[in-house]
Amino acid sequence: MRNYWLRKILAVPLILLVASFLIFWAVRLLPGDPARLMAGMQADQKVVDSVRSRLGLDKPFAIQYEIFLRNVLHGDLGTSIRSHKPVAEEIAERFPYTLALTTVSFALAVAVGTTAGVFAAIFNGRAVDHLVMVTAISGASIANFWLALLAMNLFAVRLAWVPLLGANSWKSYILPAITLALLPSAVIARMCRASMLDIIHQDYIRTARAKGLSTAKVYVNHALRNALIPIVTIVGMNFASLLGGAVITETVFNWPGLGRLMVDAVRYRDYATIQGITLLTVAIVIAVNFAVDVFIGLVDPRIRFD
Amino acid sequence: VLHCFSTGVAAALPNLVGFSSLARGWRAALATAMVACSVLGCGPDRPAESRVTIMQLEAPLTMDPADHTASLTMDVLDPMYESLTRFDQNLEVSPSLATKWSVDSSGTKWTLELRKGVLFHDGTPFDAQAVVDSFNRLLDPDRGLAGASRVRTIVKQVTAVAPSTVLFTLTSSYASFPRVLAVTPVVSPLADKGGQLSRLAVGTGPYKFVEWKTSEYVLEERNEQYWGPHPKVKQLKWIWTSEPVLMNMSVLAGEADIINPLPPIFAEALSRNPKVKLIEGNESRVFWVALNTQRKPLDDIRVRQALNYATDRKALVRTQLRGFGTPANSPLAPADFAYDPETKGYPFDLERAKALLAEAGYGNGFALKIAVQEPDVDLVEALQGMWANVRVNLEIEGMEHGVFSQTIFGSPKQKAEQGIDCVFASWASDNTDPDYQLAPLYRSNQWSPSGANLGFYANGHLDQLLESAAAELDGEKRKALYRQAQQIISDDAPHVLLYYARDIAAQHPGAVPTPVRLLPGGRVELETKD
């Protein structure tokens, strides 16, 4: 088992190196010229060329990558051509907002999704089950930005119960968190139901009942605990990718997180920022994968990574 | 980033009473929740008294007025910077940091007397040397400043002849030089040397820079040391979104006091809402379809004219602009002082269009490919329908902003390879000067990628005319030359001129204690300086 973790840890720098190259290369494959975008539509070619040279984009690809890599190793992710700030500083400013929104909405999604899934499994085939499943399918199918706009119009513009823009108070979290939680809670509810249905017919559940354990204990301690494994994996991966920024939700709610930063960076071909956010996302995915592995080990002692 | 966070969480944990006694499994969950809660209060402070919030469709690109060409960035910077001249209510050039100016008979030497006793926000005195430094940074190609094109083309040298007198030597006579000065802000030489201008605005304007939170807002505060009349509003806060829907909701919810620019579809809806007041500006932006005059069949003038006759401009204004505009007859916008309402354009005449196409040998029609930015696809679809009446099949290639800007500035060879026959484009001259509208778009030395002549139009006579007009110091003679130029361009039809869109913004009438006006190009200005 120690070897397993050792191998995993040693692979991290290699993954990051390969990822950094792929990101650096892929960003430059995007059509669109950062120098033209920075200089604007009314700039003449001479000015566009001098902007390009200032940004160092007239250098050969290999040299640009070497400079990037050397800077990253010194902790410098480059400077944003849009905000003229170090990318690391820019990310540090935005990441807390994304982390907070993602955490709140995932807590909501897990709470709602698991509860709904467990109830649907317990009342399998009955009205509660159908209600949960229809709601879950609707939740997964509705375009969340559309629902978000309707909710904003009603709750923020007409009723003025919550603020419309930004992240100024706890009330600002209500609409974006619900919007973001919609899809994962639907997915969790469906997975949880399927997983629970599979488990509540197992022998050990019958044994637990036969021992005279209360129904709640049987479902929560025995069934749910085992049903959690596939759910944790899915939730972990979704959570990790959303930490890179929930692009649509953040744009609709004018949320000052990484998702909006990424949209702006792509729009203006701000290479350094795109690279920085993507590298951070890769690092987060690796870290969350680790966490999921550990968590699964804790939940199910039979699983060991030898 | 991760380091910041782990430190923050580690510092917070011991303070939690009873934390260590919690079950192990809950600790991680609680820590995560704490991180979430710790940032719940991270947002900007509560609005101060006498603050006006202005929401735009685009974030500012920089705090350096010389390093961009975006009008919505200039909006944000305008209260903090001043130029040597400025536009008054009638869009005439009037004194600002320069109190008077004169030009020699050659039109190349302009002498300006500067306002005395003015200080930059960092305390540096405003004088002739500051002006020299401010322009020299634009002239230096190694600085690579994005907004340097115009000054670099016109100005040869800037000299301080006395502490309050500065001499501009131009490469050739340029009548509109005071209009160029009006859109070239002067920056603090000290701040420029410090290399901080891209993040920190330091000018002489009635507002001082307070903070730029990249993702959220720019905050400006009244400059109590301002040389002119002090503005009524204490703070200006600039916010932005890329979603017009959100902008619309923001002004209704009162979270933005002014929104700009307002798309016509929302302007129409808001015009019926008593809670919101529309601010209508000039018609300074011309929309057109540039035709690739180097590709068949658009190299034939009859085909180009036929497309012009086949276009129902009134319908476009009615449906696409919701009436907030006028059909275009000239390549100059009505806000431009040399605009000629008498320039003969092309009335909607399908029979004439069909006859011209038949004469050119295209009576059975042909296909054209048009490059257009995604948000403008609707407009081009209207054209597609109109041109189908003369059997022209318009193939629409909707593009993302970055791809579009690269495509339209392609060389003739690149456009031929991509099969791009035409481009949907618009242009507003921020200094309402005909030279900055006509020269980049129609002179033969401005073929893309060098300039913005996107259809590779060339007419030697027009080139000469535009050169003479730019140099002509007599206003009336100059106007006459531009009158000719407008008609030549219209007759040659290197484009299908569409319409002039009116600049529109909206405001909460009660929330802004001062009149708001829109400058050419749609820049919002709180009338603080008059």
Side-chain angles (χ1 to χ4, degrees):
Chain A
M1 185 172 169
R2 189 179 296 160
N3 276 344
Y4 172 81
W5 292 111
L6 199 64
R7 274 204 308 274
K8 266 207 134 175
I9 289 165
L10 288 177
V12 171
L14 191 67
I15 296 171
L16 284 174
L17 182 71
V18 173
S20 79
F21 178 79
L22 289 177
I23 295 160
F24 193 85
W25 175 67
V27 153
R28 279 157 182 77
L29 283 184
L30 283 176
D33 176 4
R36 165 57 73 186
L37 287 165
M38 197 173 161
M41 299 292 212
Q42 300 193 338
D44 65 31
Q45 189 61 30
K46 278 187 208 150
V47 167
V48 175
D49 289 342
S50 65
V51 170
R52 186 174 297 114
S53 146
R54 182 181 109 195
L55 299 177
L57 295 171
D58 55 345
K59 294 189 175 74
F61 176 83
I63 307 255
Q64 287 185 47
Y65 183 63
E66 188 204 321
I67 295 170
F68 165 71
L69 208 57
R70 203 180 308 135
N71 288 342
V72 169
L73 290 175
H74 286 92
D76 175 8
L77 289 172
T79 304
S80 160
I81 60 166
R82 273 199 21 78
S83 67
H84 309 274
K85 266 169 116 175
V87 171
E89 208 178 292
E90 193 82 271
I91 290 176
E93 205 179 89
R94 308 277 195 117
F95 185 65
Y97 289 103
T98 291
L99 179 66
L101 179 61
T102 313
T103 309
V104 172
S105 60
F106 262 78
L108 190 68
V110 169
V112 173
T114 328
T115 315
V118 168
F119 274 95
I122 294 172
F123 299 101
N124 183 23
R126 284 194 261 168
V128 176
D129 184 21
H130 295 311
L131 184 71
V132 169
M133 283 306 100
V134 168
T135 316
I137 288 172
S138 314
S141 317
I142 289 174
N144 59 4
F145 67 90
W146 175 76
L147 203 65
L149 287 174
L150 290 185
M152 285 161 91
N153 195 16
L154 179 63
F155 297 112
V157 178
R158 286 172 196 277
L159 299 171
W161 288 352
V162 289
L164 180 70
L165 305 170
N168 303 336
S169 71
W170 66 270
K171 281 185 182 172
S172 308
Y173 280 71
I174 298 174
L175 289 183
I178 293 174
T179 306
L180 202 55
L182 213 59
L183 180 63
S185 50
V187 172
I188 292 169
R190 289 182 64 79
M191 284 208 60
C192 187
R193 174 183 175 271
S195 194
M196 282 288 284
L197 280 179
D198 194 32
I199 282 162
I200 53 180
H201 296 113
Q202 300 279 333
D203 290 345
Y204 63 85
I205 297 293
R206 198 177 309 127
T207 312
R209 282 186 203 278
K211 284 199 299 200
L213 285 180
S214 70
T215 312
K217 267 196 174 160
V218 171
Y219 282 122
V220 176
N221 288 0
H222 293 261
L224 185 59
R225 191 179 170 125
N226 288 296
L228 274 181
I229 295 165
I231 298 167
V232 167
T233 315
I234 287 287
V235 170
M237 290 315 297
N238 275 326
F239 186 72
S241 61
L242 273 180
L243 281 181
V247 173
I248 293 173
T249 308
E250 289 188 8
T251 305
V252 172
F253 288 97
N254 236 28
W255 196 260
L258 284 181
R260 248 180 93 206
L261 182 66
M262 188 65 157
V263 172
D264 285 347
V266 171
R267 183 171 155 83
Y268 286 91
R269 305 297 189 268
D270 186 350
Y271 291 166
T273 307
I274 302 174
Q275 286 158 194
I277 299 176
T278 320
L279 262 185
L280 174 74
T281 312
V282 171
I284 290 172
V285 169
I286 296 173
V288 171
N289 259 337
F290 254 77
V292 167
D293 284 353
V294 172
F295 191 76
I296 288 176
L298 292 176
V299 173
D300 186 350
R302 290 171 305 175
I303 299 176
R304 286 288 179 260
F305 304 95
D306 294 322
Chain B
V1 179
L2 292 174
H3 171 75
C4 290
F5 258 87
S6 54
T7 319
V9 173
L13 289 185
N15 299 331
L16 255 190
V17 180
F19 184 81
S20 56
S21 64
L22 284 170
R24 195 181 51 162
W26 290 99
R27 273 186 223 164
L30 185 57
T32 321
M34 279 172 51
V35 174
C37 295
S38 69
V39 294
L40 287 179
C42 281
D45 50 347
R46 300 288 309 152
E49 265 180 42
S50 178
R51 174 193 282 180
V52 168
T53 303
I54 305 150
M55 187 180 217
Q56 309 197 121
L57 261 187
E58 202 178 270
L61 301 173
T62 172
M63 289 297 117
D64 184 343
D67 202 15
H68 73 97
T69 54
S71 63
L72 292 179
T73 298
M74 205 53 233
D75 256 8
V76 176
L77 300 184
D78 193 54
M80 300 183 284
Y81 287 102
E82 288 178 302
S83 303
L84 293 172
T85 61
R86 62 179 293 261
F87 294 114
D88 65 15
Q89 297 285 354
N90 304 317
L91 299 179
E92 295 296 331
V93 181
S94 63
S96 180
L97 286 176
T99 50
K100 56 182 177 181
W101 53 89
S102 59
V103 58
D104 74 345
S105 56
S106 73
T108 57
K109 291 198 186 303
W110 293 76
T111 308
L112 288 94
E113 291 299 324
L114 305 180
R115 195 174 292 281
K116 289 177 184 145
V118 176
L119 290 176
F120 287 101
H121 301 152
D122 60 1
T124 316
F126 165 76
D127 56 15
Q129 193 52 48
V131 176
V132 171
D133 291 346
S134 205
F135 278 82
N136 276 347
R137 62 200 289 270
L138 288 161
L139 295 175
D140 180 359
D142 293 338
R143 292 288 298 264
L145 290 170
S149 310
R150 200 158 20 184
V151 168
R152 248 194 256 169
T153 317
I154 301 166
V155 179
K156 194 164 145 194
Q157 200 183 17
V158 192
T159 333
V161 276
S164 292
T165 312
V166 69
L167 171 71
F168 284 85
T169 310
L170 310 188
T171 47
S172 59
S173 169
Y174 197 74
S176 276
F177 186 57
R179 287 181 177 270
V180 173
L181 291 177
V183 290
T184 312
V186 179
V187 302
S188 155
L190 188 69
D192 183 42
K193 281 198 189 85
Q196 292 299 308
L197 271 182
S198 58
R199 289 289 315 169
L200 259 165
V202 188
T204 59
Y207 285 89
K208 289 204 284 195
F209 174 84
V210 178
E211 189 184 16
W212 176 18
K213 255 195 145 183
T214 317
S215 52
E216 295 173 73
Y217 58 88
V218 170
L219 199 61
E220 301 165 9
E221 197 157 59
R222 190 165 53 206
N223 172 15
E224 304 297 348
Q225 271 78 48
Y226 184 55
W227 59 268
H230 288 200
K232 282 185 199 153
V233 178
K234 191 167 182 234
Q235 280 192 336
L236 297 181
K237 185 179 175 186
W238 301 82
I239 55 174
W240 45 85
T241 171
S242 53
E243 293 301 314
V245 175
L246 195 53
M247 214 162 72
N248 186 50
M249 286 199 276
S250 300
V251 77
L252 288 173
E255 295 203 19
D257 301 316
I258 299 173
I259 54 171
N260 178 55
L262 191 62
I265 188 164
F266 291 116
E268 191 192 27
L270 288 180
S271 67
R272 292 191 293 266
N273 190 326
K275 285 190 204 156
V276 178
K277 182 182 159 201
L278 286 194
I279 310 162
E280 295 190 40
N282 301 284
E283 288 174 355
S284 63
R285 186 167 287 274
V286 188
F287 285 78
W288 75 98
V289 172
L291 304 174
N292 189 337
T293 58
Q294 301 299 308
R295 262 169 77 77
K296 279 195 179 307
L298 298 173
D299 57 344
D300 188 326
I301 188 170
R302 291 168 297 186
V303 176
R304 301 198 301 264
Q305 288 177 335
L307 291 176
N308 273 283
Y309 281 119
T311 305
D312 185 353
R313 293 170 180 79
K314 283 183 188 158
L316 287 176
V317 169
R318 200 172 54 243
T319 57
Q320 307 299 320
L321 297 185
R322 302 296 201 272
F324 293 96
T326 315
N329 65 310
S330 150
L332 285 184
D336 195 297
F337 82 90
Y339 166 72
D340 180 13
E342 302 301 321
T343 301
K344 282 189 197 70
Y346 295 84
F348 177 49
D349 188 342
L350 274 182
E351 293 315 311
R352 188 94 181 263
K354 282 178 189 165
L356 277 167
L357 285 177
E359 195 186 314
Y362 292 100
N364 293 325
F366 55 88
L368 289 177
K369 184 150 105 178
I370 186 166
V372 55
Q373 286 199 75
E374 282 292 352
D376 296 325
V377 165
D378 285 358
L379 295 163
V380 176
E381 277 173 354
L383 273 185
Q384 191 182 40
M386 288 173 188
W387 292 0
N389 293 328
V390 289
R391 297 187 177 176
V392 172
N393 176 21
L394 191 62
E395 188 192 324
I396 300 172
E397 188 141 329
M399 296 175 180
E400 179 269 346
H401 176 65
V403 180
F404 176 77
S405 68
Q406 194 178 34
T407 306
I408 65 167
F409 282 101
S411 64
K413 189 165 167 264
Q414 285 165 328
K415 281 188 182 159
E417 281 165 6
Q418 291 176 286
I420 302 289
D421 300 297
C422 35
V423 172
F424 179 83
S426 73
W427 187 282
S429 167
D430 59 353
N431 63 353
T432 63
D433 184 72
D435 185 59
Y436 193 54
Q437 183 94 21
L438 299 182
L441 299 178
Y442 300 105
R443 280 191 67 163
S444 58
N445 62 357
Q446 295 294 313
W447 283 17
S448 63
S450 302
N453 184 342
L454 306 176
F456 314 115
Y457 167 59
N459 179 329
H461 176 49
L462 179 80
D463 285 347
Q464 278 177 357
L465 202 60
L466 290 179
E467 202 171 319
S468 315
E472 179 57 61
L473 296 174
D474 182 304
E476 282 312 308
K477 282 186 192 161
R478 196 163 175 244
K479 243 177 156 175
L481 291 170
Y482 281 121
R483 230 182 343 258
Q484 282 183 54
Q486 289 169 74
Q487 195 58 61
I488 291 173
I489 296 168
S490 178
D491 292 345
D492 282 350
H495 49 33
V496 175
L497 276 177
L498 301 174
Y499 46 70
Y500 311 119
R502 198 169 314 146
D503 301 322
I504 326 164
Q507 71 170 105
H508 257 288
V512 189
T514 189
V516 181
R517 69 166 175 161
L518 284 174
L519 291 172
R523 286 170 43 201
V524 70
E525 186 180 83
L526 269 67
E527 286 178 13
T528 54
K529 295 176 187 170
D530 279 330

